[in-house]
Amino acid sequence: MKVSFFSTQPYDIKFFNECNKNFNFDLEYFEPNLDEHTVNIIEEGTDAICVFVNDKLNEGVIKKLKKRGIKYIALRNAGFNNVDLEAAKKYEIKVCRVPAYSPQAVAEHTLAMLLTLNRKTHKAYNRVREQNFSLNGLLGTNIYKKTVGVIGTGNIGKVFCKTIKALGTNVLAYDVYPNEELKKEGFQYVTLEELLKQSDIISLHCPLTPETHHIINKRTISLMKNGVYLINTSRGGLINTQDIIDGLKSKKIGALGIDVYEQEDKLFFRDLSETIIEDDKIQLLLSFPNVLVTAHQAFFTEEALTQIALVTLDNLRQLSNNNSIENKAAELV
């Protein structure tokens, strides 16, 4: 099987090449994102493409993939909001994903963002390097006994619930489909409105769907406690960026940590240090002293990257051999 990769970074090449020793596929790597223009660089004889979160697979792209003989689209991530699944079905292209790689990786990064924002360790680090040992402006609070609201309790949300509860917090959960394991362990499910009103800290772990798009907006922010901490390591589109900026200005939002951003496809995974960034909203967010932004790195651990590569390549192996995958959650079309 010949597989073309898009949005390729050096670490993708490293981990996929290592795992490919068990599969012996012909792997070809391209740095650009996949869109209606870059689709044309796919060579004849390619069987599958492997894409990431910021590749755009609308009907126009999928139609071109079909013309080039592509049989499979392999997502090397869990989310699939960037793929037109109806178009894939129409053109008879199988789509697979990695529904669970290392939920611990994302949950741990969420906790790291929360603790960094609260205890301002990023600021303290820079101060001490400049020989400034003052504590003024570094005051935090105890996470212990705080109420933490977790929106979305799938694989990652479930792990985060257990992780944050270990710090002695009161955890409230919201999900359209409550996790039975968490319920058996005594975790409390409430309505979204109750969660927003009662939580001191809110963490987002739900997928991006039409129902969850801008789940954090002017109305839902108005229901939150004054000074609430909000962390998003899921998908940028869960937050209405302008509304969260307004919430920060009014001090309704006490601190914001985001590993994802609505317009991240134009920014993340690139070195733009010598570039003038024209996105005024991200520039404004970066100017707030109580905002922490990381560039979609929550998944970025050795364990997660190894699992992503293994599952992605095994998904393609199963599709090519059986035209289906044993793990139904991995096969989307």
Side-chain angles (χ1 to χ4, degrees), residues 52-54 101 105-107 109-110 113 117 156 204-205 230-237 239 256-262 264 268-269 282 285 291-300:
F52 198 48
V53 293
N54 292 324
Y101 38 92
V106 182
H109 189 78
T110 305
M113 295 193 81
L117 277 167
I156 296 169
L204 303 180
H205 297 285
L230 179 66
I231 311 292
N232 184 13
T233 54
S234 186
R235 285 291 180 267
I239 293 178
L256 173 69
I258 55 172
D259 185 56
V260 287
Y261 173 63
E262 274 193 284
E264 70 175 61
F268 289 4
F269 309 112
I282 193 67
L285 283 172
V291 172
L292 177 64
V293 179
T294 54
H296 208 131
Q297 74 173 79
F299 76 102
F300 201 56

mmCIF file of all heavy atoms in Angstrom, residues 52-54 101 105-107 109-110 113 117 156 204-205 230-237 239 256-262 264 268-269 282 285 291-300:
data_model
loop_
_atom_site.group_PDB
_atom_site.id
_atom_site.type_symbol
_atom_site.label_atom_id
_atom_site.label_comp_id
_atom_site.label_asym_id
_atom_site.label_seq_id
_atom_site.Cartn_x
_atom_site.Cartn_y
_atom_site.Cartn_z
ATOM 1 N N PHE A 52 -4.384 15.190 9.205
ATOM 2 C CA PHE A 52 -4.449 15.613 10.599
ATOM 3 C C PHE A 52 -5.557 16.655 10.759
ATOM 4 O O PHE A 52 -6.330 16.911 9.835
ATOM 5 C CB PHE A 52 -3.071 16.136 11.027
ATOM 6 C CG PHE A 52 -2.869 16.196 12.513
ATOM 7 C CD1 PHE A 52 -3.198 15.128 13.327
ATOM 8 C CD2 PHE A 52 -2.328 17.343 13.104
ATOM 9 C CE1 PHE A 52 -3.002 15.184 14.702
ATOM 10 C CE2 PHE A 52 -2.124 17.403 14.474
ATOM 11 C CZ PHE A 52 -2.462 16.331 15.268
ATOM 12 N N VAL A 53 -5.603 17.303 11.911
ATOM 13 C CA VAL A 53 -6.762 18.110 12.304
ATOM 14 C C VAL A 53 -7.042 19.312 11.403
ATOM 15 O O VAL A 53 -8.194 19.733 11.275
ATOM 16 C CB VAL A 53 -6.615 18.594 13.761
ATOM 17 C CG1 VAL A 53 -6.684 17.423 14.721
ATOM 18 C CG2 VAL A 53 -5.311 19.367 13.966
ATOM 19 N N ASN A 54 -6.015 19.896 10.797
ATOM 20 C CA ASN A 54 -6.223 21.119 10.017
ATOM 21 C C ASN A 54 -6.272 20.888 8.506
ATOM 22 O O ASN A 54 -6.270 21.838 7.730
ATOM 23 C CB ASN A 54 -5.148 22.147 10.362
ATOM 24 C CG ASN A 54 -5.287 22.662 11.780
ATOM 25 O OD1 ASN A 54 -6.398 22.826 12.273
ATOM 26 N ND2 ASN A 54 -4.172 22.897 12.453
ATOM 27 N N TYR A 101 -6.013 7.167 21.679
ATOM 28 C CA TYR A 101 -4.578 6.877 21.610
ATOM 29 C C TYR A 101 -3.972 6.973 22.999
ATOM 30 O O TYR A 101 -3.558 5.979 23.567
ATOM 31 C CB TYR A 101 -3.861 7.790 20.613
ATOM 32 C CG TYR A 101 -4.340 9.216 20.578
ATOM 33 C CD1 TYR A 101 -3.742 10.184 21.367
ATOM 34 C CD2 TYR A 101 -5.388 9.598 19.746
ATOM 35 C CE1 TYR A 101 -4.177 11.502 21.338
ATOM 36 C CE2 TYR A 101 -5.829 10.918 19.707
ATOM 37 C CZ TYR A 101 -5.227 11.859 20.505
ATOM 38 O OH TYR A 101 -5.654 13.154 20.480
ATOM 39 N N ALA A 105 -2.452 11.608 27.993
ATOM 40 C CA ALA A 105 -1.628 12.706 27.483
ATOM 41 C C ALA A 105 -2.402 14.022 27.501
ATOM 42 O O ALA A 105 -1.912 15.052 27.981
ATOM 43 C CB ALA A 105 -1.151 12.396 26.066
ATOM 44 N N VAL A 106 -3.623 14.003 26.987
ATOM 45 C CA VAL A 106 -4.430 15.224 26.916
ATOM 46 C C VAL A 106 -4.908 15.642 28.301
ATOM 47 O O VAL A 106 -4.895 16.826 28.650
ATOM 48 C CB VAL A 106 -5.618 15.030 25.958
ATOM 49 C CG1 VAL A 106 -6.435 16.325 25.852
ATOM 50 C CG2 VAL A 106 -5.138 14.603 24.574
ATOM 51 N N ALA A 107 -5.330 14.670 29.098
ATOM 52 C CA ALA A 107 -5.794 14.983 30.451
ATOM 53 C C ALA A 107 -4.675 15.604 31.288
ATOM 54 O O ALA A 107 -4.901 16.572 32.030
ATOM 55 C CB ALA A 107 -6.323 13.719 31.128
ATOM 56 N N HIS A 109 -2.072 17.271 30.156
ATOM 57 C CA HIS A 109 -1.779 18.617 29.657
ATOM 58 C C HIS A 109 -2.838 19.605 30.149
ATOM 59 O O HIS A 109 -2.517 20.759 30.470
ATOM 60 C CB HIS A 109 -1.728 18.621 28.127
ATOM 61 C CG HIS A 109 -1.227 19.912 27.555
ATOM 62 N ND1 HIS A 109 0.094 20.257 27.523
ATOM 63 C CD2 HIS A 109 -1.894 20.968 27.002
ATOM 64 C CE1 HIS A 109 0.250 21.454 26.973
ATOM 65 N NE2 HIS A 109 -0.954 21.903 26.650
ATOM 66 N N THR A 110 -4.073 19.157 30.218
ATOM 67 C CA THR A 110 -5.145 20.000 30.753
ATOM 68 C C THR A 110 -4.836 20.404 32.187
ATOM 69 O O THR A 110 -4.959 21.577 32.562
ATOM 70 C CB THR A 110 -6.486 19.248 30.711
ATOM 71 O OG1 THR A 110 -6.744 18.803 29.371
ATOM 72 C CG2 THR A 110 -7.626 20.140 31.173
ATOM 73 N N MET A 113 -1.999 22.952 32.286
ATOM 74 C CA MET A 113 -2.442 24.310 31.946
ATOM 75 C C MET A 113 -3.160 24.956 33.125
ATOM 76 O O MET A 113 -2.951 26.139 33.434
ATOM 77 C CB MET A 113 -3.355 24.275 30.719
ATOM 78 C CG MET A 113 -2.688 23.825 29.436
ATOM 79 S SD MET A 113 -3.676 24.161 27.964
ATOM 80 C CE MET A 113 -3.304 25.895 27.685
ATOM 81 N N LEU A 117 -1.722 28.269 35.053
ATOM 82 C CA LEU A 117 -2.504 29.500 35.142
ATOM 83 C C LEU A 117 -2.735 29.905 36.596
ATOM 84 O O LEU A 117 -2.622 31.086 36.957
ATOM 85 C CB LEU A 117 -3.856 29.317 34.449
ATOM 86 C CG LEU A 117 -3.887 29.492 32.938
ATOM 87 C CD1 LEU A 117 -5.203 28.966 32.370
ATOM 88 C CD2 LEU A 117 -3.706 30.965 32.558
ATOM 89 N N ILE A 156 -11.075 10.947 27.032
ATOM 90 C CA ILE A 156 -10.227 11.959 27.658
ATOM 91 C C ILE A 156 -10.916 12.583 28.863
ATOM 92 O O ILE A 156 -10.327 12.730 29.940
ATOM 93 C CB ILE A 156 -9.827 13.044 26.639
ATOM 94 C CG1 ILE A 156 -8.979 12.425 25.522
ATOM 95 C CG2 ILE A 156 -9.069 14.175 27.318
ATOM 96 C CD1 ILE A 156 -8.750 13.338 24.335
ATOM 97 N N LEU A 204 -13.177 21.625 28.940
ATOM 98 C CA LEU A 204 -13.917 21.140 27.769
ATOM 99 C C LEU A 204 -13.244 19.904 27.182
ATOM 100 O O LEU A 204 -12.062 19.931 26.854
ATOM 101 C CB LEU A 204 -13.992 22.227 26.700
ATOM 102 C CG LEU A 204 -14.608 23.561 27.126
ATOM 103 C CD1 LEU A 204 -14.610 24.540 25.954
ATOM 104 C CD2 LEU A 204 -16.018 23.376 27.653
ATOM 105 N N HIS A 205 -14.035 18.832 27.026
ATOM 106 C CA HIS A 205 -13.509 17.583 26.467
ATOM 107 C C HIS A 205 -14.507 16.928 25.515
ATOM 108 O O HIS A 205 -14.487 15.713 25.332
ATOM 109 C CB HIS A 205 -13.135 16.610 27.593
ATOM 110 C CG HIS A 205 -12.052 17.124 28.476
ATOM 111 N ND1 HIS A 205 -10.729 17.155 28.080
ATOM 112 C CD2 HIS A 205 -12.096 17.676 29.705
ATOM 113 C CE1 HIS A 205 -9.999 17.689 29.047
ATOM 114 N NE2 HIS A 205 -10.803 18.016 30.038
ATOM 115 N N LEU A 230 -11.391 28.637 32.732
ATOM 116 C CA LEU A 230 -11.867 27.831 31.615
ATOM 117 C C LEU A 230 -10.678 27.263 30.849
ATOM 118 O O LEU A 230 -9.769 28.004 30.469
ATOM 119 C CB LEU A 230 -12.733 28.681 30.670
ATOM 120 C CG LEU A 230 -13.298 27.987 29.440
ATOM 121 C CD1 LEU A 230 -14.301 26.908 29.833
ATOM 122 C CD2 LEU A 230 -13.958 28.999 28.502
ATOM 123 N N ILE A 231 -10.693 25.941 30.637
ATOM 124 C CA ILE A 231 -9.615 25.267 29.906
ATOM 125 C C ILE A 231 -10.224 24.522 28.726
ATOM 126 O O ILE A 231 -11.222 23.805 28.869
ATOM 127 C CB ILE A 231 -8.864 24.243 30.801
ATOM 128 C CG1 ILE A 231 -8.471 24.866 32.146
ATOM 129 C CG2 ILE A 231 -7.643 23.704 30.057
ATOM 130 C CD1 ILE A 231 -7.423 25.927 32.080
ATOM 131 N N ASN A 232 -9.605 24.670 27.551
ATOM 132 C CA ASN A 232 -10.072 23.947 26.359
ATOM 133 C C ASN A 232 -8.903 23.248 25.680
ATOM 134 O O ASN A 232 -8.034 23.887 25.091
ATOM 135 C CB ASN A 232 -10.739 24.905 25.369
ATOM 136 C CG ASN A 232 -11.320 24.176 24.162
ATOM 137 O OD1 ASN A 232 -11.447 22.956 24.163
ATOM 138 N ND2 ASN A 232 -11.672 24.922 23.136
ATOM 139 N N THR A 233 -8.887 21.915 25.772
ATOM 140 C CA THR A 233 -7.878 21.113 25.067
ATOM 141 C C THR A 233 -8.556 20.191 24.058
ATOM 142 O O THR A 233 -7.989 19.181 23.661
ATOM 143 C CB THR A 233 -7.046 20.270 26.055
ATOM 144 O OG1 THR A 233 -7.932 19.497 26.879
ATOM 145 C CG2 THR A 233 -6.173 21.143 26.932
ATOM 146 N N SER A 234 -9.754 20.554 23.630
ATOM 147 C CA SER A 234 -10.526 19.687 22.731
ATOM 148 C C SER A 234 -10.522 20.213 21.298
ATOM 149 O O SER A 234 -9.716 19.792 20.476
ATOM 150 C CB SER A 234 -11.955 19.531 23.254
ATOM 151 O OG SER A 234 -12.670 18.595 22.481
ATOM 152 N N ARG A 235 -11.410 21.160 20.982
ATOM 153 C CA ARG A 235 -11.479 21.758 19.648
ATOM 154 C C ARG A 235 -11.762 23.244 19.774
ATOM 155 O O ARG A 235 -12.582 23.672 20.594
ATOM 156 C CB ARG A 235 -12.579 21.092 18.804
ATOM 157 C CG ARG A 235 -12.232 19.698 18.291
ATOM 158 C CD ARG A 235 -11.132 19.751 17.240
ATOM 159 N NE ARG A 235 -10.771 18.445 16.715
ATOM 160 C CZ ARG A 235 -9.793 17.681 17.196
ATOM 161 N NH1 ARG A 235 -9.077 18.103 18.224
ATOM 162 N NH2 ARG A 235 -9.514 16.523 16.637
ATOM 163 N N GLY A 236 -11.099 24.033 18.937
ATOM 164 C CA GLY A 236 -11.224 25.486 19.019
ATOM 165 C C GLY A 236 -12.635 25.988 18.817
ATOM 166 O O GLY A 236 -13.055 26.972 19.432
ATOM 167 N N GLY A 237 -13.386 25.310 17.943
ATOM 168 C CA GLY A 237 -14.732 25.750 17.614
ATOM 169 C C GLY A 237 -15.739 25.613 18.733
ATOM 170 O O GLY A 237 -16.881 26.063 18.602
ATOM 171 N N ILE A 239 -15.508 27.226 21.406
ATOM 172 C CA ILE A 239 -15.538 28.550 22.031
ATOM 173 C C ILE A 239 -15.760 29.629 20.974
ATOM 174 O O ILE A 239 -15.080 29.648 19.948
ATOM 175 C CB ILE A 239 -14.225 28.830 22.781
ATOM 176 C CG1 ILE A 239 -14.088 27.900 23.995
ATOM 177 C CG2 ILE A 239 -14.141 30.287 23.221
ATOM 178 C CD1 ILE A 239 -12.778 28.082 24.752
ATOM 179 N N LEU A 256 -8.001 31.820 31.325
ATOM 180 C CA LEU A 256 -8.328 31.007 30.149
ATOM 181 C C LEU A 256 -7.089 30.256 29.695
ATOM 182 O O LEU A 256 -6.021 30.850 29.485
ATOM 183 C CB LEU A 256 -8.832 31.901 29.011
ATOM 184 C CG LEU A 256 -9.059 31.215 27.654
ATOM 185 C CD1 LEU A 256 -10.248 30.258 27.730
ATOM 186 C CD2 LEU A 256 -9.275 32.258 26.545
ATOM 187 N N GLY A 257 -7.228 28.953 29.520
ATOM 188 C CA GLY A 257 -6.157 28.144 28.949
ATOM 189 C C GLY A 257 -6.673 27.430 27.717
ATOM 190 O O GLY A 257 -7.662 26.704 27.789
ATOM 191 N N ILE A 258 -6.036 27.660 26.570
ATOM 192 C CA ILE A 258 -6.483 27.019 25.330
ATOM 193 C C ILE A 258 -5.306 26.360 24.618
ATOM 194 O O ILE A 258 -4.273 26.980 24.411
ATOM 195 C CB ILE A 258 -7.205 28.000 24.377
ATOM 196 C CG1 ILE A 258 -6.336 29.227 24.060
ATOM 197 C CG2 ILE A 258 -8.554 28.421 24.949
ATOM 198 C CD1 ILE A 258 -6.929 30.127 22.972
ATOM 199 N N ASP A 259 -5.491 25.114 24.279
ATOM 200 C CA ASP A 259 -4.524 24.389 23.458
ATOM 201 C C ASP A 259 -5.007 24.306 22.024
ATOM 202 O O ASP A 259 -4.319 23.774 21.158
ATOM 203 C CB ASP A 259 -4.325 22.973 24.025
ATOM 204 C CG ASP A 259 -3.238 22.195 23.299
ATOM 205 O OD1 ASP A 259 -2.104 22.712 23.234
ATOM 206 O OD2 ASP A 259 -3.521 21.091 22.792
ATOM 207 N N VAL A 260 -6.209 24.839 21.785
ATOM 208 C CA VAL A 260 -6.849 24.819 20.468
ATOM 209 C C VAL A 260 -7.474 26.182 20.222
ATOM 210 O O VAL A 260 -7.778 26.913 21.165
ATOM 211 C CB VAL A 260 -7.922 23.709 20.394
ATOM 212 C CG1 VAL A 260 -7.293 22.334 20.324
ATOM 213 C CG2 VAL A 260 -8.881 23.790 21.579
ATOM 214 N N TYR A 261 -7.675 26.504 18.939
ATOM 215 C CA TYR A 261 -8.156 27.833 18.581
ATOM 216 C C TYR A 261 -8.942 27.735 17.283
ATOM 217 O O TYR A 261 -8.582 26.962 16.396
ATOM 218 C CB TYR A 261 -6.959 28.781 18.448
ATOM 219 C CG TYR A 261 -7.283 30.157 17.924
ATOM 220 C CD1 TYR A 261 -8.110 31.011 18.635
ATOM 221 C CD2 TYR A 261 -6.749 30.600 16.714
ATOM 222 C CE1 TYR A 261 -8.407 32.283 18.164
ATOM 223 C CE2 TYR A 261 -7.022 31.870 16.235
ATOM 224 C CZ TYR A 261 -7.861 32.714 16.960
ATOM 225 O OH TYR A 261 -8.149 33.962 16.484
ATOM 226 N N GLU A 262 -10.006 28.521 17.181
ATOM 227 C CA GLU A 262 -10.893 28.434 16.013
ATOM 228 C C GLU A 262 -10.154 28.551 14.683
ATOM 229 O O GLU A 262 -10.435 27.832 13.743
ATOM 230 C CB GLU A 262 -11.954 29.540 16.087
ATOM 231 C CG GLU A 262 -13.179 29.178 16.898
ATOM 232 C CD GLU A 262 -14.311 30.163 16.683
ATOM 233 O OE1 GLU A 262 -14.233 31.279 17.238
ATOM 234 O OE2 GLU A 262 -15.271 29.830 15.958
ATOM 235 N N GLU A 264 -6.891 28.068 14.121
ATOM 236 C CA GLU A 264 -5.534 27.558 14.325
ATOM 237 C C GLU A 264 -4.880 27.018 13.064
ATOM 238 O O GLU A 264 -3.657 26.923 12.982
ATOM 239 C CB GLU A 264 -5.529 26.474 15.404
ATOM 240 C CG GLU A 264 -6.201 25.178 15.008
ATOM 241 C CD GLU A 264 -6.041 24.110 16.092
ATOM 242 O OE1 GLU A 264 -6.512 24.312 17.211
ATOM 243 O OE2 GLU A 264 -5.437 23.079 15.783
ATOM 244 N N PHE A 268 -1.056 27.294 13.911
ATOM 245 C CA PHE A 268 -0.393 26.240 14.670
ATOM 246 C C PHE A 268 0.430 25.311 13.789
ATOM 247 O O PHE A 268 0.169 25.152 12.603
ATOM 248 C CB PHE A 268 -1.419 25.430 15.461
ATOM 249 C CG PHE A 268 -2.032 26.183 16.620
ATOM 250 C CD1 PHE A 268 -1.725 27.509 16.862
ATOM 251 C CD2 PHE A 268 -2.923 25.558 17.481
ATOM 252 C CE1 PHE A 268 -2.282 28.207 17.924
ATOM 253 C CE2 PHE A 268 -3.493 26.239 18.553
ATOM 254 C CZ PHE A 268 -3.173 27.560 18.770
ATOM 255 N N PHE A 269 1.442 24.699 14.406
ATOM 256 C CA PHE A 269 2.384 23.779 13.772
ATOM 257 C C PHE A 269 3.328 24.485 12.800
ATOM 258 O O PHE A 269 3.930 23.855 11.945
ATOM 259 C CB PHE A 269 1.658 22.630 13.055
ATOM 260 C CG PHE A 269 0.652 21.924 13.931
ATOM 261 C CD1 PHE A 269 -0.700 22.016 13.671
ATOM 262 C CD2 PHE A 269 1.064 21.182 15.026
ATOM 263 C CE1 PHE A 269 -1.628 21.382 14.479
ATOM 264 C CE2 PHE A 269 0.149 20.545 15.844
ATOM 265 C CZ PHE A 269 -1.201 20.636 15.571
ATOM 266 N N ILE A 282 -6.286 36.419 18.051
ATOM 267 C CA ILE A 282 -5.255 35.660 18.764
ATOM 268 C C ILE A 282 -4.232 36.606 19.376
ATOM 269 O O ILE A 282 -3.724 36.361 20.484
ATOM 270 C CB ILE A 282 -4.573 34.614 17.848
ATOM 271 C CG1 ILE A 282 -3.743 33.617 18.686
ATOM 272 C CG2 ILE A 282 -3.695 35.277 16.801
ATOM 273 C CD1 ILE A 282 -4.535 32.721 19.564
ATOM 274 N N LEU A 285 -5.810 37.858 22.542
ATOM 275 C CA LEU A 285 -5.788 36.825 23.572
ATOM 276 C C LEU A 285 -4.400 36.706 24.197
ATOM 277 O O LEU A 285 -4.256 36.575 25.408
ATOM 278 C CB LEU A 285 -6.213 35.476 22.982
ATOM 279 C CG LEU A 285 -7.706 35.273 22.739
ATOM 280 C CD1 LEU A 285 -7.949 33.976 21.976
ATOM 281 C CD2 LEU A 285 -8.472 35.248 24.063
ATOM 282 N N VAL A 291 -4.193 34.633 30.337
ATOM 283 C CA VAL A 291 -4.477 33.691 29.252
ATOM 284 C C VAL A 291 -3.209 32.905 28.934
ATOM 285 O O VAL A 291 -2.127 33.479 28.798
ATOM 286 C CB VAL A 291 -4.979 34.416 27.982
ATOM 287 C CG1 VAL A 291 -5.072 33.450 26.799
ATOM 288 C CG2 VAL A 291 -6.341 35.050 28.240
ATOM 289 N N LEU A 292 -3.371 31.601 28.826
ATOM 290 C CA LEU A 292 -2.263 30.716 28.459
ATOM 291 C C LEU A 292 -2.645 29.986 27.173
ATOM 292 O O LEU A 292 -3.692 29.344 27.111
ATOM 293 C CB LEU A 292 -1.989 29.709 29.578
ATOM 294 C CG LEU A 292 -0.900 28.665 29.315
ATOM 295 C CD1 LEU A 292 0.462 29.333 29.157
ATOM 296 C CD2 LEU A 292 -0.862 27.643 30.459
ATOM 297 N N VAL A 293 -1.809 30.114 26.153
ATOM 298 C CA VAL A 293 -2.056 29.462 24.871
ATOM 299 C C VAL A 293 -0.918 28.497 24.575
ATOM 300 O O VAL A 293 0.254 28.877 24.639
ATOM 301 C CB VAL A 293 -2.164 30.494 23.720
ATOM 302 C CG1 VAL A 293 -2.400 29.778 22.383
ATOM 303 C CG2 VAL A 293 -3.288 31.486 23.981
ATOM 304 N N THR A 294 -1.267 27.254 24.276
ATOM 305 C CA THR A 294 -0.293 26.310 23.729
ATOM 306 C C THR A 294 -0.803 25.875 22.357
ATOM 307 O O THR A 294 -2.001 25.934 22.082
ATOM 308 C CB THR A 294 -0.083 25.088 24.650
ATOM 309 O OG1 THR A 294 -1.350 24.481 24.936
ATOM 310 C CG2 THR A 294 0.566 25.507 25.950
ATOM 311 N N ALA A 295 0.117 25.440 21.502
ATOM 312 C CA ALA A 295 -0.214 25.251 20.081
ATOM 313 C C ALA A 295 -0.584 23.806 19.746
ATOM 314 O O ALA A 295 0.137 23.112 19.033
ATOM 315 C CB ALA A 295 0.955 25.717 19.213
ATOM 316 N N HIS A 296 -1.705 23.365 20.278
ATOM 317 C CA HIS A 296 -2.249 22.023 20.007
ATOM 318 C C HIS A 296 -1.203 20.946 20.322
ATOM 319 O O HIS A 296 -0.918 20.071 19.512
ATOM 320 C CB HIS A 296 -2.710 21.911 18.557
ATOM 321 C CG HIS A 296 -3.828 20.921 18.373
ATOM 322 N ND1 HIS A 296 -4.979 21.211 17.685
ATOM 323 C CD2 HIS A 296 -3.974 19.649 18.803
ATOM 324 C CE1 HIS A 296 -5.779 20.156 17.687
ATOM 325 N NE2 HIS A 296 -5.189 19.195 18.369
ATOM 326 N N GLN A 297 -0.689 20.999 21.538
ATOM 327 C CA GLN A 297 0.366 20.063 21.923
ATOM 328 C C GLN A 297 -0.093 19.065 22.985
ATOM 329 O O GLN A 297 0.708 18.249 23.462
ATOM 330 C CB GLN A 297 1.600 20.815 22.417
ATOM 331 C CG GLN A 297 1.458 21.432 23.808
ATOM 332 C CD GLN A 297 2.756 22.026 24.309
ATOM 333 O OE1 GLN A 297 3.117 23.129 23.914
ATOM 334 N NE2 GLN A 297 3.450 21.324 25.186
ATOM 335 N N ALA A 298 -1.368 19.094 23.352
ATOM 336 C CA ALA A 298 -1.838 18.223 24.437
ATOM 337 C C ALA A 298 -1.590 16.747 24.133
ATOM 338 O O ALA A 298 -1.313 15.956 25.031
ATOM 339 C CB ALA A 298 -3.317 18.465 24.719
ATOM 340 N N PHE A 299 -1.669 16.377 22.869
ATOM 341 C CA PHE A 299 -1.479 14.982 22.468
ATOM 342 C C PHE A 299 -0.008 14.587 22.395
ATOM 343 O O PHE A 299 0.314 13.399 22.234
ATOM 344 C CB PHE A 299 -2.090 14.754 21.079
ATOM 345 C CG PHE A 299 -1.249 15.309 19.962
ATOM 346 C CD1 PHE A 299 -0.451 14.464 19.197
ATOM 347 C CD2 PHE A 299 -1.222 16.666 19.674
ATOM 348 C CE1 PHE A 299 0.346 14.957 18.174
ATOM 349 C CE2 PHE A 299 -0.444 17.172 18.655
ATOM 350 C CZ PHE A 299 0.352 16.310 17.902
ATOM 351 N N PHE A 300 0.890 15.539 22.540
ATOM 352 C CA PHE A 300 2.274 15.400 22.113
ATOM 353 C C PHE A 300 3.151 14.703 23.150
ATOM 354 O O PHE A 300 3.972 15.329 23.830
ATOM 355 C CB PHE A 300 2.825 16.779 21.777
ATOM 356 C CG PHE A 300 4.019 16.788 20.882
ATOM 357 C CD1 PHE A 300 3.992 16.174 19.640
ATOM 358 C CD2 PHE A 300 5.197 17.417 21.262
ATOM 359 C CE1 PHE A 300 5.099 16.190 18.806
ATOM 360 C CE2 PHE A 300 6.301 17.442 20.440
ATOM 361 C CZ PHE A 300 6.255 16.821 19.209
#
